[in-house]
Amino acid sequence: MKGLLIMADRIIYIDGEYLNENDAKISVFDHGVLYGDGIFEGIRAYNGRIFKGKEHIDRLFSAAKAIMLEIPLTKEEVAQMLVETCKRNNLTDGYIRLVVTRGKGDLGLSPTKCTVATVFCIAANITLYPEEMYEKGMPIITASQRRNKATIIDPQIKSLNYLNNILAKIQANQAGVPEALMLTHDGIVAECTGDNIFIIKEGIIFTPPIHVGILDGITRNTVIKLARDLGYDVQEKEFTQYNLYNADECFLTGTAAEVIAVTSVDERIIGAGICGPITKKLLAAFQAHTKIDGIEIK
Ligand code: PXG
């Protein structure tokens, strides 16, 4: 079936080679494994296109620059490799994980012994939230775990060190909800563990600005543009849990989640407790956009 793969038949790109997944291995001395020293991108393919491929590659290279990691490929070569990995897996719709680590070094913290970065790419199926969640919305909680401060590890760096978010995700799991909201150190709404957050109040759409310390989400930016094109006032503005609890609508954006309504936060019902009309419109606009945008897999 198109886009579906039997697990062990996957072809993985790793350091210049395309290998069967059983043969695609990295060293136990890789600093990505030893220290979370590396970066990644989660990318979707829709309808034979790598959605926002350029934006994902640009973000990867910006993160690499921030952590002084040299990617041993040009942006064009990364784009070709993403296309080739999809082609070799016969993937037209799915999820692509692109990872660059500091590479193989010794047991010391210093990356000086890591002479060349490890690059790998997996093109796979995606596990989505259940369809009914897109219609009915989902409950979330606020995690006690605060989002990393930008002065510690800037959340704009999509690094392999996701413990901050995983600890919050564990709290979501314990509470029996799919996602957790993370606040900044100062208690301002930041983002969820793998999604950006938006609220709507009296027809105006608000989302936290990047400088509070969040990932500069590609779905976030796409939705901001689509909303503005539809004539909505979108403001990147700080807000608190109070504003969130009293919003008319709330939704999350992310490569995996797309646009998904939040209908309760910490057991406060948001708006009418359903996927609201503006969220519905934005989801439809987003899904239409995924069909036409991106690097063609050919
Ligand atoms: N914030 C954080 C912290 C993220 O990790 C997003 C926002 C959304 O960004 P994009 O560019 O995708 O619109 C992410 C996305 C998952 C998962 O399984 C999500 C992400 C990474 C790994 C897994 O939901 N990142």
Side-chain angles (χ1 to χ4, degrees):
M1 217 205 273
K2 226 179 178 186
L4 276 182
L5 286 169
I6 309 298
M7 280 285 272
D9 287 345
R10 264 190 210 123
I11 301 296
I12 311 291
Y13 169 89
I14 181 160
D15 295 336
E17 291 187 289
Y18 293 92
L19 300 178
N20 186 285
E21 71 172 67
N22 295 325
D23 301 319
K25 296 191 171 119
I26 64 168
S27 168
V28 294
F29 291 98
D30 193 296
H31 279 212
V33 178
L34 289 176
Y35 295 116
D37 185 355
I39 51 177
F40 75 103
E41 285 293 323
I43 310 170
R44 286 285 281 276
Y46 293 97
N47 197 32
R49 289 172 187 277
I50 298 169
F51 184 61
K52 300 284 169 196
K54 181 184 181 302
E55 288 78 357
H56 282 283
I57 293 168
D58 284 346
R59 186 169 69 184
L60 183 82
F61 276 77
S62 297
K65 185 168 189 179
I67 69 164
M68 301 193 86
L69 172 61
E70 196 183 326
I71 300 176
L73 298 167
T74 64
K75 287 187 179 182
E76 292 69 28
E77 285 168 339
V78 172
Q80 281 165 16
M81 178 270 278
L82 294 179
V83 167
E84 187 61 26
T85 308
C86 289
K87 278 169 70 177
R88 289 189 187 229
N89 287 286
N90 205 16
L91 196 97
T92 55
D93 293 85
Y95 188 76
I96 304 162
R97 176 59 56 92
L98 171 60
V99 180
V100 185
T101 80
R102 189 76 66 181
K104 186 179 167 192
D106 62 17
L107 289 177
L109 207 63
S110 170
T112 48
K113 296 268 170 60
C114 306
T115 50
V116 56
T118 301
V119 182
F120 65 89
C121 179
I122 308 163
N125 309 126
I126 180 154
T127 317
L128 298 170
Y129 288 126
E131 187 60 39
E132 67 162 38
M133 252 185 213
Y134 286 87
E135 285 147 29
K136 294 191 181 154
M138 66 181 191
I140 64 170
I141 53 136
T142 306
S144 59
Q145 186 76 26
R146 297 296 169 99
R147 191 69 176 100
N148 277 337
K149 273 173 94 110
T151 47
I152 299 170
I153 299 176
D154 195 323
Q156 288 186 84
I157 300 167
K158 207 164 160 56
S159 88
L160 291 184
N161 195 323
Y162 251 53
L163 256 188
N164 181 222
N165 306 49
I166 289 165
L167 291 174
K169 191 76 166 186
I170 287 169
Q171 292 191 347
N173 293 345
Q174 286 171 338
V177 297
E179 252 295 16
L181 171 68
M182 303 184 80
L183 306 176
T184 67
H185 199 69
D186 299 325
I188 299 292
V189 171
E191 61 180 339
C192 290
T193 69
D195 306 289
N196 291 110
I197 188 163
F198 288 72
I199 59 170
I200 303 168
K201 186 73 176 175
E202 289 161 8
I204 302 174
I205 303 172
F206 298 95
T207 195
I210 301 302
H211 71 74
V212 305
I214 57 171
L215 185 74
D216 191 357
I218 288 165
T219 319
R220 171 190 184 276
N221 295 335
T222 305
V223 167
I224 290 174
K225 181 164 188 313
L226 290 170
R228 286 183 177 148
D229 289 349
L230 286 168
Y232 290 106
D233 180 2
V234 185
Q235 299 184 15
E236 295 180 64
K237 208 172 157 187
E238 293 181 17
F239 58 88
T240 64
Q241 282 173 301
Y242 173 87
N243 304 120
L244 171 56
Y245 295 153
N246 288 288
D248 300 327
E249 295 182 39
C250 172
F251 64 87
L252 309 181
T253 63
T255 295
E258 301 183 336
V259 174
I260 191 158
V262 170
T263 44
S264 89
V265 182
D266 303 326
E267 298 185 10
R268 278 86 163 172
I269 304 294
I270 306 302
I274 52 161
C275 176
I278 299 177
T279 304
K280 262 193 190 146
K281 247 192 219 174
L282 295 175
L283 173 60
F286 180 79
Q287 288 183 330
H289 191 60
T290 60
K291 304 277 191 299
I292 54 165
D293 184 284
I295 301 169
E296 215 180 322
I297 302 168
K298 63 165 191 202

